[in-house]
Amino acid sequence: MRGKSKVRAIKNNKGRMLSGAAVLAIGSVVAKALGALYRVPLTNILGAEGMGMYQLVFPVFALFMVLATAGIPTALSRMVAEKRAEGESAKKYLVAAILVLAALGTVFAIITFSLAGKIAAWQGNVQTKSGFMIVAPTIILVSLIAGFRGWFQGEMYMLPTALSNIIEQVVKLAVGIGLSAAFISRGVTAAVNGALLGIAISEVCALAYLVITYLARGRNLKSEKLNVSREDARAMFRVAFPIALVAVLMPLSSFFDSVILVNVLKWSGVSQEIATAQYGLLSGPVNSLVNMPVVIIMSLAVVVVPSVSVSRVQRDIDGVMLKSRISIKLAYMIGVPSALFFMVYAPRLLPVIYPALTPEQLHITINLLRIVAANVVLLSAMQIYVSLLQALDKTKYAVISLVCAIIVKIVLSIVLVRFIGILGGAVASLAMGAVALVGVNIAYYNICGLHLEKNIGLNLLSGVIMALVGIAVSSFIGNNLAATIVGLVVCAAVYIWLAFFFGVIGREEIEFLPMRRLMRAFHRVIRFWEYKDEI
């Protein structure tokens, strides 16, 4: 009986992980779709130069947000999940985390506001100073939001995170676009500031929703003790510190981009306006498209940390391996076809989404997207491996891998941008993703011995065949919009059929996927020979 109970508990835990991932993925898809919708009119209102100014501010804002949260939300989600699994109180960790996050957020808000002029000068465009001053107070709000999200994720209740993401994007879309359109008559700088003000207002609304949700849901937790001992505090910060290092490295990489790319382009003889515009094309339209499928994987990565942590505490090795295998497979199943679709359909997709770009800007953007598209695969898989290392308390290996990757990116950016322009920045970004993925892959293999080489090879084969079909479909349709829509539908259908036919996802693994009834039906039709004994 005890063995059956353990099996049932393991299955429930896996089911909660994947149902939570499904909720976050759906919320993330909706939020990212709204984010992409936001970027389209914003790019058309601000133009390439205005988007460049917006993207100069945003990476610095993101960096200080990560510094202000210091890895505490992820550590909180992991500790809450572990304490709940052990039957212990966990609410006290939320109280401690919120107090620390509020303090850190205030400190970094003051730093951002005070250094606004200097940061703008370092980046090579002093017009962005007012933008930094506008977003500075928002860091406090984002820190508190991150704390509440960490709590809910530790409880394996992913709906508040998903809905708060959607609220952010809806408000940012409505208010940000409205303000930027209203202020454009006063100049590009004023319009950019209006869009940034929309971000601040969106964070206010998201925080209000999370606080209300917590108060409504947390009434039954009032009896829990709230005193945090020194040992509890040390345990949280011991978990948070390496996670904070990982969390800060990706925004730090974007910050280096904002400083290096514009300045190196200017050193190469490009004017400030064109340099800012080209940086805006890479960091705005291109990266926003690449990040759309990546954010789906990041939703899974968020759920992986507390779920795998519970399996680690329970010494459930089978659970750790199953969750690892499924998570990594899903990363490649989403990343590979998305990357190849962007490569094939870049000339069709970009004119539809960004009609305000000039022919020269469109040509540059198409080339950038075709280069950076592979990062969908590299960053998606890397994020999963990083989350698995965090869940197994081996975050130091992720830190080492990312530091090496960022060093490679900085060196290549300085060298390549000098000779091949903004395309050098795209190549450097791709190199960073490759180095980071190789590093975390080797580290996780040494820890768990997970073999997925054959599966990745079948994934790539399915993707290449899909891409060839996509090229054929595109050649028969003249209209860009029609070609993109038809190509997307056909490529998705072909890839799904091939993935099942080649056994990328096994029969037993379907039981732990979202929409498993539909997946099971597809699997039965495509791999009919596996079901002969059941007929």
Side-chain angles (χ1 to χ4, degrees):
M1 291 297 290
R2 184 178 300 176
K4 290 182 179 180
S5 299
K6 183 178 179 181
V7 170
R8 191 180 301 112
I10 291 172
K11 287 188 174 182
N12 288 339
N13 189 24
K14 294 166 187 169
R16 290 184 72 190
M17 183 191 86
L18 289 162
S19 63
V23 169
L24 265 187
I26 293 170
S28 297
V29 169
V30 173
K32 202 64 184 179
L34 291 171
L37 181 63
Y38 166 74
R39 291 297 180 98
V40 173
L42 188 64
T43 301
N44 293 326
I45 292 170
L46 300 181
E49 183 185 358
M51 280 304 296
M53 293 173 63
Y54 180 88
Q55 290 299 139
L56 284 172
V57 174
F58 200 82
V60 180
F61 171 56
L63 174 61
F64 282 126
M65 282 194 303
V66 173
L67 289 172
T69 55
I72 293 174
T74 304
L76 177 63
S77 71
R78 177 176 142 182
M79 295 191 73
V80 168
E82 291 177 358
K83 295 301 178 183
R84 291 296 188 205
E86 295 170 354
E88 297 183 18
S89 170
K91 187 178 178 182
K92 59 184 178 181
Y93 293 106
L94 172 64
V95 175
I98 290 297
L99 291 175
V100 174
L101 288 169
L104 288 173
T106 302
V107 169
F108 281 100
I110 294 171
I111 292 173
T112 305
F113 191 89
S114 303
L115 296 180
K118 291 184 178 180
I119 296 172
W122 292 338
Q123 291 179 322
N125 194 323
V126 295
Q127 292 175 295
T128 58
K129 175 183 177 181
S130 55
F132 288 114
M133 298 174 73
I134 289 172
V135 298
T138 312
I139 296 174
I140 304 172
L141 303 175
V142 172
S143 299
L144 298 175
I145 289 171
F148 281 107
R149 284 175 176 168
W151 164 263
F152 286 123
Q153 288 158 13
E155 293 279 315
M156 299 301 290
Y157 181 45
M158 303 299 168
L159 186 61
T161 297
L163 288 180
S164 63
N165 280 329
I166 294 173
I167 290 170
E168 281 179 340
Q169 295 297 336
V170 169
V171 175
K172 186 172 70 172
L173 176 64
V175 178
I177 295 298
L179 291 177
S180 62
F183 293 162
I184 190 63
S185 60
R186 302 181 184 180
V188 174
T189 302
V192 170
N193 290 342
L196 294 171
L197 183 59
I199 294 176
I201 296 172
S202 71
E203 302 299 346
V204 171
C205 297
L207 178 60
Y209 161 74
L210 287 169
V211 171
I212 293 171
T213 302
Y214 171 76
L215 293 175
R217 183 179 171 84
R219 290 174 183 172
N220 60 330
L221 303 175
K222 288 183 179 180
S223 59
E224 293 188 7
K225 296 179 180 180
L226 300 182
N227 58 305
V228 182
S229 66
R230 286 186 179 181
E231 184 179 345
D232 292 332
R234 278 197 294 267
M236 176 175 286
F237 283 104
R238 186 172 60 249
V239 173
F241 181 70
I243 292 175
L245 290 178
V246 170
V248 78
L249 287 173
M250 292 304 287
L252 188 62
S253 170
S254 298
F255 170 71
F256 287 144
D257 279 350
S258 71
V259 174
I260 293 171
L261 296 184
V262 173
N263 283 312
V264 174
L265 286 170
K266 288 168 65 178
W267 296 339
S268 303
V270 178
S271 68
Q272 176 178 300
E273 292 75 17
I274 294 177
T276 304
Q278 289 187 357
Y279 169 73
L281 294 174
L282 175 60
S283 58
V286 172
N287 283 344
S288 62
L289 282 173
V290 168
N291 286 334
M292 285 186 70
V294 174
V295 78
I296 300 174
I297 301 302
M298 290 181 69
S299 304
L300 180 61
V302 167
V303 184
V304 162
V305 175
S307 182
V308 175
S309 293
V310 169
S311 295
R312 179 177 64 86
V313 170
Q314 296 174 341
R315 301 185 182 279
D316 175 17
I317 305 301
D318 292 338
V320 170
M321 295 300 291
L322 178 61
K323 293 168 189 175
S324 300
R325 188 170 63 250
I326 292 177
S327 301
I328 296 167
K329 282 186 176 184
L330 287 175
Y332 281 102
M333 283 190 69
I334 294 172
V336 169
S338 299
L340 290 170
F341 180 82
F342 285 145
M343 290 178 187
V344 171
Y345 279 87
R348 298 303 195 102
L349 177 65
L350 289 169
V352 172
I353 300 179
Y354 301 107
L357 296 179
T358 66
E360 182 181 358
Q361 291 172 344
L362 189 60
H363 176 71
I364 293 172
T365 308
I366 289 170
N367 290 332
L368 289 172
L369 181 57
R370 281 178 160 168
I371 295 171
V372 180
N375 257 348
V376 177
V377 182
L378 302 176
L379 296 180
S380 296
M382 185 268 289
Q383 291 284 357
I384 291 297
Y385 277 114
V386 168
S387 295
L388 290 170
L389 289 169
Q390 289 174 343
L392 297 180
D393 204 18
K394 302 292 183 181
T395 310
K396 64 179 180 180
Y397 297 111
V399 173
I400 294 170
S401 300
L402 288 172
V403 167
C404 293
I406 290 174
I407 292 172
V408 169
K409 182 182 182 181
I410 291 172
V411 173
L412 288 179
S413 294
I414 295 172
V415 174
L416 295 179
V417 172
R418 187 84 174 177
F419 292 100
I420 60 175
I422 194 63
L423 295 180
V427 175
S429 176
L430 196 63
M432 186 196 77
V435 172
L437 176 58
V438 169
V440 294
N441 194 337
I442 292 173
Y444 200 73
Y445 172 79
N446 289 335
I447 294 169
C448 293
L450 190 64
H451 286 280
L452 288 174
E453 293 84 357
K454 181 180 177 181
N455 186 270
I456 295 171
L458 292 173
N459 236 315
L460 292 173
L461 177 61
S462 302
V464 169
I465 296 172
M466 179 210 78
L468 293 174
V469 174
I471 293 171
V473 170
S474 178
S475 66
F476 287 105
I477 304 176
N479 182 270
N480 285 332
L481 178 60
T484 301
I485 294 173
V486 173
L488 179 62
V489 172
V490 171
C491 286
V494 169
Y495 181 81
I496 291 172
W497 191 91
L498 289 170
F500 278 116
F501 181 78
F502 289 133
V504 174
I505 289 290
R507 181 176 176 181
E508 70 284 354
E509 294 168 335
I510 294 176
E511 300 304 315
F512 302 103
L513 293 179
M515 300 184 295
R516 56 180 174 271
R517 289 185 180 178
L518 180 62
M519 294 290 185
R520 199 184 299 126
F522 279 139
H523 194 269
R524 180 183 290 272
V525 171
I526 295 169
R527 294 182 66 88
F528 58 89
W529 60 89
E530 291 188 11
Y531 297 85
K532 285 183 178 179
D533 295 337
E534 299 179 11
I535 298 176

